[in-house]
Amino acid sequence: MRHDQLPRLHGYGVRWDAEADRYRVRNEMTGEWLCRPTGEPAAFTFFGDAYSAWRAFEVHKRPGEK
């Protein structure tokens, strides 16, 4: 696949937004994006921060969780 054919957002739950050069968080069950109180999509510089936000944002249990 050529570079210009790559999807702009890719991944699972925590997604890389190449245009913004930031991670974004998505609830994969509902398709809802995590937003700031202002309504703009939340963006994270570090994967660990985005992953922590995703774990709090996505409410269903993932495989292996109790």
Side-chain angles (χ1 to χ4, degrees):
M1 183 179 292
R2 293 189 333 254
H3 178 69
D4 62 344
Q5 292 177 320
L6 292 174
R8 190 171 70 86
L9 296 173
H10 53 87
Y12 301 93
V14 175
R15 296 175 174 231
W16 177 252
D17 183 344
E19 287 182 14
D21 198 31
R22 299 280 188 265
Y23 292 99
R24 304 244 188 239
V25 175
R26 182 174 184 227
N27 182 320
E28 296 298 332
M29 297 300 290
T30 65
E32 178 185 7
W33 291 95
L34 178 62
C35 292
R36 301 271 182 224
T38 59
E40 69 179 291
F44 301 88
T45 304
F46 300 106
F47 178 83
D49 294 340
Y51 182 74
S52 294
W54 173 70
R55 287 187 57 96
F57 179 58
E58 186 150 319
V59 296
H60 78 283
K61 291 183 181 180
R62 287 167 289 288
E65 283 190 343
K66 294 181 179 185

